[in-house]
């Protein structure tokens, strides 16, 4: 056997044991996708609550739904920053709005969720999505940068500012964050004797690049009970307001998430699945 024959046999053997290439993503076939930074994983079913069940955030819900509906129809629409209290439905309302838009505009819009650690690959994602005849909402959940971090905020600015790496016309960004500034802020910002507003303004300037900045705040007692009442009616559950308030006191918070956890407890007590 010649050396050439041996090399050919080795190459053939390596080809047989190599994993098959990942199939190309069909960007027209699924309601949602997860971007890993290098590739996309299709999601066959987009899990989202019905819009009518999202209570206590009526104004925020209306603004998100209106914007997502415009995007699905191919009209002018905004990038969105949803910021504020944990558990008040920021990501839930985005998913619910997308699902409602998919029912009104079948096949015309999809959600693409991106984890913060995959942000560096989003420019490549934009390049791909810009060639697809479909609208996309690229969703980054629970985004937050440390004060010393520079690459993430710089990427976000470039996508929103219309530069060479900006997102294409058929794509909008939606970001949720527990803080409006997205970048962490400290009390030392107020101690600068030269210009104490500069650091604060620079942090908020990133948020200001979103066309819609929508705040979500802790709900009061009436809103908390209304959320529970909506879910209880939907699932046929009996409940008591005093018991519901005691649940929130034990949790140390009133929010949509705490209300849902109480509803889950009610269903468990009643021997029902949700």
């Amino acid at each position: 056997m010649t050396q050439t024959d041996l090399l050919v046999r080795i190459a053939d053997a390596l080809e047989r044991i190599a994993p098959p290439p990942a199939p190309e993503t069909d960007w027209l076939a699924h309601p949602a996708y997860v971007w890993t930074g290098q590739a996309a994983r299709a999601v066959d079913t987009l899990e989202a609550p019905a819009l009518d069940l999202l209570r206590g955030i009526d104004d925020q819900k209306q603004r998100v739904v209106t914007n997502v509906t415009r995007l699905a129809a191919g009209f002018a629409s905004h990038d969105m920053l949803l910021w504020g209290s944990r558990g008040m439905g920021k990501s839930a309302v985005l998913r619910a709005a997308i699902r409602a838009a998919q029912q009104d505009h079948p096949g015309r819009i999809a959600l693409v969720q991106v984890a913060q650690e995959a942000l560096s690959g989003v420019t490549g994602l934009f390049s791909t999505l810009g060639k697809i005849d479909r609208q996309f909402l690229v969703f980054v959940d629970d985004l937050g940068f440390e004060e010393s971090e520079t690459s993430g905020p710089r990427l976000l600015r470039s996508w929103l500012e219309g530069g060479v790496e900006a997102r294409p016309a058929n794509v909008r960004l939606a970001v949720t964050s527990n803080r409006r500034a997205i970048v962490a802020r400290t009390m030392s910002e107020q101690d600068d004797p030269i210009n104490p507003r500069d650091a604060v303004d620079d942090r908020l300037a990133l948020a200001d690049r979103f066309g819609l900045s929508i705040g979500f705040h802790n709900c009061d007692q009436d809103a908390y009970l209304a959320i529970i009442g909506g879910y209880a009616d939907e699932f046929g559950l009996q409940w008591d307001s005093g018991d519901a308030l005691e649940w929130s006191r034990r949790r140390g918070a009133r929010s949509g998430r705490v209300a849902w956890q109480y509803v889950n407890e009610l269903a468990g007590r009643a021997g029902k699945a949700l």
Side-chain angles (χ1 to χ4, degrees):
M1 179 184 297
T2 67
Q3 186 175 12
T4 300
D5 292 336
L6 179 59
L7 290 175
V8 169
R9 291 184 62 181
I10 292 173
D12 289 342
L14 290 174
E15 186 173 337
R16 286 194 299 271
I17 65 175
E24 281 195 32
T25 302
D26 187 342
W27 289 106
L28 298 174
H30 303 278
Y33 303 83
V34 175
W35 177 252
T36 65
Q38 301 295 327
R41 183 176 73 252
V43 177
D44 292 328
T45 302
L46 177 58
E47 298 293 338
L51 283 169
D52 289 345
L53 291 178
L54 296 175
R55 304 190 179 186
I57 52 171
D58 293 341
D59 177 66
Q60 296 95 326
K61 178 170 63 175
Q62 183 270 327
R63 295 173 69 189
V64 171
V65 169
T66 296
N67 194 55
V68 170
T69 301
R70 290 174 181 171
L71 174 61
F75 301 155
S77 55
H78 297 289
D79 301 297
M80 294 182 287
L81 171 62
L82 278 55
W83 60 274
S85 301
R86 292 179 175 86
M88 283 307 298
K90 297 186 292 294
S91 61
V93 74
L94 281 171
R95 288 184 282 108
I98 285 286
R99 194 170 71 170
Q102 290 172 340
Q103 293 169 349
D104 294 337
H105 303 272
R108 291 306 307 150
I109 188 170
L111 184 71
V112 184
Q113 182 159 344
V114 177
Q116 181 162 336
E117 56 268 23
L119 286 179
S120 60
V122 168
T123 301
L125 171 65
F126 286 161
S127 177
T128 298
L129 296 183
K131 303 170 186 174
I132 308 298
D133 183 20
R134 194 181 193 187
Q135 308 298 117
F136 295 93
L137 185 68
V138 172
F139 169 40
V140 185
D141 194 22
D142 199 21
L143 182 63
F145 299 116
E146 295 304 317
E147 187 178 11
S148 59
E149 190 171 352
T150 59
S151 60
R154 189 181 302 117
L155 277 172
L156 196 54
R157 287 190 184 95
S158 70
W159 299 334
L160 295 168
E161 286 179 340
V164 293
E165 293 185 326
R167 47 110 183 106
N170 63 324
V171 175
R172 291 295 178 270
L173 278 168
V175 169
T176 68
S177 178
N178 292 326
R179 49 190 181 233
R180 181 177 171 230
I182 304 178
V183 180
R185 295 169 58 188
T186 66
M187 289 301 295
S188 63
E189 294 171 350
Q190 310 298 330
D191 299 332
D192 183 348
I194 299 174
N195 195 335
R197 290 299 308 171
D198 281 353
V200 177
D201 290 344
D202 185 58
R203 302 288 190 270
L204 294 178
L206 182 56
D208 290 342
R209 287 172 169 81
F210 291 87
L212 283 180
S213 179
I214 305 173
F216 288 68
H217 310 289
N218 282 326
C219 58
D220 60 20
Q221 177 174 301
D222 290 341
Y224 168 74
L225 294 176
I227 295 169
I228 292 173
Y231 282 126
D233 290 344
E234 175 72 14
F235 299 117
L237 300 171
Q238 299 295 318
W239 66 290
D240 174 75
S241 60
D243 185 51
L245 292 173
E246 177 59 28
W247 178 271
S248 70
R249 281 191 289 269
R250 290 200 301 268
R251 296 305 304 271
R254 286 193 299 261
S255 69
R257 180 179 297 147
V258 171
W260 171 250
Q261 290 166 345
Y262 176 69
V263 170
N264 190 70
E265 170 67 15
L266 290 176
R269 294 175 189 173
K272 292 185 176 183
L274 294 178

